[in-house]
Amino acid sequence: RLLDLVTNIMEMARAEKMEESGGQLLDRRPVNIMDIVDEVIGMTEMAVDKSGRHLVGSNVIMVNNVCKGKLPMVVGDSYKITQLLYNLVTN
């Protein structure tokens, strides 16, 4: 999983360089971070490792403590942001 995280960071750097040169790899649209955090929590609760074991034990409760209503919409690629947060949480 650490390799996935490094790969994703390198991909983001490559995308930034491409955008600087006039190309576009990212789908830049208004993004609601609250929705992405909720999605990552759901994905993480259902995630299993290679042997089929859940990454989050049944005694662990994941809570979204991001302040509701206090975060502005941001412009970004929701898929890439979701991917990045998921990798951070699962590593």
Side-chain angles (χ1 to χ4, degrees):
R1 291 186 292 200
L2 183 57
L3 178 60
D4 289 337
L5 179 60
V6 171
T7 301
N8 289 335
I9 291 171
M10 289 174 58
E11 186 177 307
M12 293 294 289
R14 184 174 60 93
E16 285 179 7
K17 283 184 182 179
M18 182 157 193
E19 284 188 6
E20 288 172 1
S21 66
Q24 187 168 346
L25 280 178
L26 300 176
D27 181 21
R28 292 179 176 249
R29 297 179 186 201
V31 175
N32 184 332
I33 296 295
M34 288 298 302
D35 292 344
I36 290 178
V37 171
D38 286 336
E39 181 178 354
V40 169
I41 288 173
M43 290 167 51
T44 304
E45 289 174 336
M46 295 184 297
V48 295
D49 64 14
K50 291 179 182 175
S51 64
R53 293 181 309 207
H54 284 278
L55 296 180
V56 178
S58 59
N59 59 335
V60 175
I61 298 171
M62 295 190 70
V63 177
N64 181 350
N65 281 332
V66 177
C67 300
K68 293 186 186 280
K70 294 189 179 183
L71 293 178
M73 297 286 281
V74 296
V75 176
D77 187 321
S78 63
Y79 174 77
K80 296 291 186 186
I81 296 170
T82 302
Q83 185 179 28
L84 181 72
L85 286 178
Y86 178 77
N87 286 337
L88 287 171
V89 170
T90 58
N91 282 312

